[in-house]
Amino acid sequence: MDTIASLTTQEQVEREPLKYQLKTPFQNLSDGEQLKFVKKAKEDCLHVCNVIAPGNGEELFESMMSVQRELFDGAVPDDLVVLMTAYKNAKTRNLRKQILSLYAQRYPMTKLKKIHQPYGSLSTWEIKQARSHAKMHGPGTITENKTKHRVRLDMRKVDHFVEFINRPYFYQDVSYGNKVLTVDNGDRIEMPNVVRILTRSTMIEQYLEYCKEQCHEPLSRSSLFKILEVREASQRKSLQGLDNTAADGAAGFQTIETLVETLEKGGMEKQWCLRICQNLHDAKRYLKTDYRVHCQQHYSTCADHCRKFALSDPVDLELQHPCPHQHQSTCEQCQGLKDVLKEVRLAIEGSSWRPYSCEQREDVLYDFDRAQSDILLWKAHIQDWYAVCSIIENTLEVVKKEHPQITQVNLRSDEAGCYHNNFLLAAVRDAGRRVGIEVARYDFSEPQYGKDICDRILCPMKSSIRRYCNEGHDVVSAKDMRVALSERPVQGTTPSVCAMNETQKPGGTPIHYLYGYTLEVHKIEGFSKYHNFKFEVKGIRAWRAYGGGLGKFIPYREVITEPQGPTGLIVHENFFPLKEARVYKRETNSENEQCNGLFSCSEPGCNMVFKKFSELENHLDVGEHSQVRGNSLIRCMTSSEETGRRNFVLLIRTKKSEACLKQL
């Protein structure tokens, strides 16, 4: 105390020496003695306040005494009441900690707990956390929680697995329900729902087998399961595209079911309505699955399964195909569809239900006819053409240069507007002749049939570019895409960077009209209904369905007014050599081997399975789909081409004895 007093001046505080210390409890002293000790303590405290705040010791001392009086009296300031009320109403723990950090330093921990009790009990840990928050970030500061991901997996292996499971083999559209996606610019895209047709364990087994073929070291099985588990919650975009024909056909079934409900409200028996709805469900399921496999290209004694007969035009003789065989058998499922539609129509026209007016009967009948037409159409089943023509001509030039022995090609594409149009069909034949390769045919995929062979190749190419981009490279131009595919090549593919020669395009400079560079055509009547074209000497022969009749002959003079000159595609980057070509190998496995394997065909109704993923790809590209029923494999095979006969053999493999086979 003498040392502290020496730091102050006598003019500020007069100090008496401390003569003795208190030996007994303070509460046992008399009032006079307590006052004496309080006075002495005040004098010494003033010395300390003067040392801490020279010249302002009195103010510091009074402020200290006011705080102590608050603690002694139990009075809580109004601002503290507001903060503690906010603490009580806070919804999250983090928010309560931020509010508590505003006043956690104001009182000792014991006193703070006591005055805070009406607004929520505090623990020592909560007070320490609030004080630490105030010290590190500031009282009441809102902190952002940063998500930290610790990646212990090789991302190249992860991308390899994700690229495999994103292929369209493992997904298919469902026949009901649509999904609406909203993109960043506000556009809404509607697409059918998709389902995964394989279980996780089967997909992983297929992937491990695929890695053996590719000599690739995969991730562990547990990691693969975790990836599929995380990805299971979100469905990827539909890989088979929006099928308008199938969607209209499915909507047709829904319309008829609604009409059946209308008939029930009008007095039809409930049991009849339930039976009709069940038959409609069975027919819809049949069209979605087995009907496609039942159809045969050349030979079938069932009229509904004979493709050329079923797709022949009932009026135009040039688009009819006479079958050399008789259609004597019937299909139970196909006949069931016809019967249920006929039964519904007779019920609408009959007197078993009571419409409230004649107009209602006519409206119901109109809706039925329209829905029936959509169902039967389902059963039967604008872009730049000049850029496509330029690509075709340049591609044929490259093919002719690398393979001079090739003199004829057949082209195939899907039904996109840039392919299926009058201009491209009129120009592609001349483009082939300019490079020395004759374009013999141009066939389009079945309308609304979904993804084609090229789409199955494009899927891994997109994944390869995405993987290259994820590794830290920029892909912002066509040249960058070529670099990505050269660094991460895909089997059987090679890219080229080109630019279209706008001067050769119809609508270019007027001078090109003088030299015949610009194509002028007459529109082919009913062009959209033709899907197969053959280029003959004097004209084009068109079919609605492949091989359906003699075909519609259209002379060139009725199509082409002015031929298209050379497109002159500008090549910036040439194709690089293929890493490995996609070569089709004819299947030599026995039927029993094709029924036992790991990779199953994704075509609805086809039960073929294969031991290697490459065999599955070949089967999907050029193979024939077959169906296994019970212990039998039913499959149609053509006879040898040398004989030219159209006889087919029905092969049946069973576990029965040879004698039973002879009886069959």
Side-chain angles (χ1 to χ4, degrees):
M1 295 301 300
D2 291 339
T3 303
I4 295 176
S6 65
L7 299 176
T8 63
T9 60
Q10 293 295 329
E11 292 75 16
Q12 293 175 332
V13 178
E14 294 183 1
R15 176 182 180 275
E16 295 182 0
L18 184 63
K19 299 178 180 179
Y20 59 91
Q21 292 177 314
L22 183 62
K23 303 298 183 181
T24 60
F26 184 79
Q27 60 271 20
N28 295 337
L29 299 178
S30 62
D31 294 339
E33 291 177 338
Q34 289 183 355
L35 182 60
K36 182 180 179 180
F37 277 97
V38 169
K39 181 180 179 181
K40 181 58 179 175
K42 180 180 179 181
E43 293 176 356
D44 292 336
C45 288
L46 281 173
H47 282 289
V48 176
C49 291
N50 282 316
V51 172
I52 297 175
N56 298 291
E58 291 286 346
E59 290 80 0
L60 178 59
F61 180 78
E62 290 298 330
S63 176
M64 180 186 66
M65 294 301 296
S66 63
V67 173
Q68 295 300 318
R69 282 193 295 269
E70 284 184 10
L71 295 178
F72 182 77
D73 297 337
V76 180
D78 294 337
D79 63 329
L80 184 59
V81 173
V82 174
L83 293 175
M84 291 190 294
T85 304
Y87 176 91
K88 180 180 179 180
N89 297 329
K91 301 297 183 181
T92 63
R93 178 185 298 178
N94 191 38
L95 181 57
R96 288 195 295 268
K97 180 177 68 174
Q98 295 169 8
I99 297 175
L100 181 59
S101 66
L102 294 171
Y103 57 91
Q105 301 280 10
R106 186 179 296 188
Y107 301 104
M109 192 173 294
T110 304
K111 184 62 179 180
L112 182 60
K113 291 180 181 180
K114 181 178 180 180
I115 63 176
H116 206 280
Q117 193 65 34
Y119 304 93
S121 60
L122 292 178
S123 64
T124 303
W125 180 83
E126 289 176 329
I127 298 175
K128 289 183 177 179
Q129 288 292 316
R131 291 177 175 178
S132 176
H133 179 87
K135 182 178 180 181
M136 296 179 60
H137 307 288
T141 304
I142 300 176
T143 58
E144 296 182 0
N145 294 328
K146 297 182 180 180
T147 304
K148 297 181 180 179
H149 300 282
R150 291 180 291 180
V151 181
R152 298 187 178 92
L153 300 177
D154 188 345
M155 294 309 299
R156 293 176 297 177
K157 296 181 180 180
V158 174
D159 292 338
H160 187 268
F161 176 62
V162 173
E163 181 270 326
F164 178 81
I165 62 177
N166 283 343
R167 300 192 179 193
Y169 312 114
F170 311 117
Y171 299 88
Q172 73 176 29
D173 297 342
V174 296
S175 58
Y176 56 88
N178 293 328
K179 175 183 292 186
V180 178
L181 301 180
T182 304
V183 294
D184 293 339
N185 60 1
D187 295 340
R188 295 168 63 86
I189 302 175
E190 184 175 358
M191 58 181 60
N193 289 332
V194 295
V195 295
R196 182 181 290 168
I197 60 177
L198 295 178
T199 61
R200 299 177 188 173
S201 57
T202 303
M203 185 175 293
I204 290 176
E205 290 293 337
Q206 293 185 355
Y207 173 69
L208 296 177
E209 186 66 27
Y210 173 73
C211 290
K212 292 181 181 178
E213 297 182 33
Q214 301 292 323
C215 299
H216 176 79
E217 183 180 356
L219 297 170
S220 63
R221 289 177 60 89
S222 60
S223 299
L224 298 179
F225 271 106
K226 290 179 181 178
I227 294 175
L228 286 181
E229 184 177 349
V230 172
R231 191 179 176 276
E232 190 76 14
S234 60
Q235 288 185 328
R236 201 171 174 83
K237 65 181 181 180
S238 173
L239 297 179
Q240 295 215 16
L242 182 59
D243 194 337
N244 295 329
T245 303
D248 292 340
F253 278 101
Q254 184 65 37
T255 301
I256 296 181
E257 291 182 17
T258 304
L259 297 179
V260 172
E261 295 178 0
T262 303
L263 296 179
E264 183 180 359
K265 295 177 181 179
M268 291 294 295
E269 296 181 359
K270 184 176 181 179
Q271 294 298 328
W272 180 88
C273 296
L274 293 176
R275 180 175 60 83
I276 291 297
C277 290
Q278 182 61 44
N279 292 342
L280 289 173
H281 291 165
D282 296 339
K284 181 179 179 181
R285 189 183 307 111
Y286 170 65
L287 292 182
K288 191 67 178 179
T289 55
D290 293 343
Y291 175 71
R292 189 179 300 167
V293 178
H294 288 177
C295 294
Q296 300 173 12
Q297 182 67 29
H298 301 286
Y299 176 82
S300 178
T301 58
C302 178
D304 291 290
H305 296 170
C306 186
R307 290 182 179 175
K308 292 187 177 180
F309 176 79
L311 296 176
S312 295
D313 193 289
V315 179
D316 196 337
L317 296 178
E318 294 180 331
L319 299 177
Q320 292 180 359
H321 177 77
C323 294
H325 53 272
Q326 299 294 324
H327 301 113
Q328 300 175 347
S329 62
T330 58
C331 172
E332 180 180 354
Q333 292 92 336
C334 293
Q335 189 62 37
L337 174 60
K338 298 177 183 178
D339 293 342
V340 68
L341 294 177
K342 182 179 180 180
E343 191 172 356
V344 174
R345 184 180 182 86
L346 292 176
I348 296 174
E349 296 175 343
S351 58
S352 300
W353 73 296
R354 297 178 299 277
Y356 55 79
S357 65
C358 296
E359 287 78 7
Q360 186 193 17
R361 187 188 298 272
E362 294 176 358
D363 292 342
V364 171
L365 189 60
Y366 172 80
D367 293 339
F368 172 81
D369 291 338
R370 187 171 182 177
Q372 179 179 243
S373 176
D374 290 338
I375 293 174
L376 296 180
L377 286 176
W378 181 23
K379 184 172 181 289
H381 242 355
I382 289 252
Q383 301 175 22
D384 193 351
W385 68 269
Y386 182 76
V388 177
C389 185
S390 303
I391 293 172
I392 291 177
E393 184 171 357
N394 177 260
T395 303
L396 294 179
E397 290 179 358
V398 176
V399 171
K400 187 64 177 179
K401 182 178 180 181
E402 297 183 357
H403 305 280
Q405 71 278 10
I406 296 179
T407 59
Q408 189 180 88
V409 296
N410 295 335
L411 302 179
R412 174 175 174 171
S413 67
D414 57 22
E415 289 281 331
C418 59
Y419 306 123
H420 197 189
N421 60 79
N422 293 268
F423 289 93
L424 180 62
L425 196 68
V428 71
R429 174 173 173 266
D430 293 333
R433 288 188 171 183
R434 283 193 292 269
V435 301
I437 297 180
E438 180 183 0
V439 179
R441 293 184 62 93
Y442 201 131
D443 298 297
F444 296 92
S445 302
E446 182 180 345
Q448 305 299 335
Y449 189 69
K451 293 299 182 182
D452 203 351
I453 298 173
C454 294
D455 296 278
R456 291 197 288 268
I457 302 175
L458 285 176
C459 181
M461 292 180 69
K462 293 178 181 178
S463 299
S464 178
I465 296 175
R466 188 181 302 110
R467 182 168 62 251
Y468 180 80
C469 185
N470 292 338
E471 292 174 355
H473 305 91
D474 292 332
V475 180
V476 295
S477 65
K479 292 184 178 181
D480 295 335
M481 295 175 64
R482 183 183 182 277
V483 173
L485 291 173
S486 64
E487 296 292 333
R488 305 290 182 269
V490 178
Q491 178 184 357
T493 64
T494 175
S496 175
V497 181
C498 306
M500 189 170 60
N501 188 353
E502 297 288 346
T503 61
Q504 306 294 88
K505 182 179 179 180
T509 56
I511 192 173
H512 291 99
Y513 287 94
L514 301 177
Y515 296 96
Y517 288 149
T518 303
L519 178 67
E520 294 184 7
V521 301
H522 292 298
K523 184 178 180 181
I524 300 176
E525 184 178 357
F527 178 79
S528 60
K529 65 183 179 181
Y530 300 116
H531 307 292
N532 304 91
F533 300 89
K534 181 180 180 181
F535 298 97
E536 299 182 353
V537 178
K538 297 183 178 181
I540 302 173
R541 193 171 296 275
W543 290 268
R544 289 186 178 180
Y546 182 80
L550 297 176
K552 191 78 171 180
F553 182 78
I554 307 171
Y556 289 123
R557 64 176 181 272
E558 297 182 4
V559 182
I560 304 175
T561 303
E562 290 290 340
Q564 173 66 41
T567 56
L569 189 70
I570 303 173
V571 180
H572 295 300
E573 299 285 346
N574 290 317
F575 296 101
F576 56 74
L578 289 174
K579 178 183 179 182
E580 185 178 0
R582 290 174 57 91
V583 181
Y584 170 69
K585 299 179 181 179
R586 184 177 297 274
E587 299 173 358
T588 57
N589 298 337
S590 65
E591 295 166 7
N592 186 39
E593 291 176 343
Q594 292 179 352
C595 296
N596 296 279
L598 184 60
F599 298 95
S600 58
C601 178
S602 59
E603 186 72 17
C606 180
N607 295 339
M608 299 295 293
V609 293
F610 303 90
K611 294 183 177 180
K612 295 182 178 180
F613 187 75
S614 57
E615 295 176 356
L616 172 62
E617 288 185 313
N618 290 334
H619 171 73
L620 292 174
D621 290 347
V622 294
E624 295 182 356
H625 299 290
S626 304
Q627 189 175 42
V628 179
R629 291 182 178 177
N631 56 359
S632 302
L633 171 62
I634 302 177
R635 177 180 178 185
C636 288
M637 302 180 64
T638 61
S639 60
S640 61
E641 297 179 357
E642 290 79 6
T643 61
R645 299 163 59 189
R646 294 186 178 272
N647 298 329
F648 294 83
V649 181
L650 183 64
L651 299 180
I652 303 178
R653 295 182 63 92
T654 68
K655 296 181 180 179
K656 296 183 179 181
S657 62
E658 186 68 18
C660 294
L661 287 174
K662 291 181 179 180
Q663 293 178 3
L664 291 175

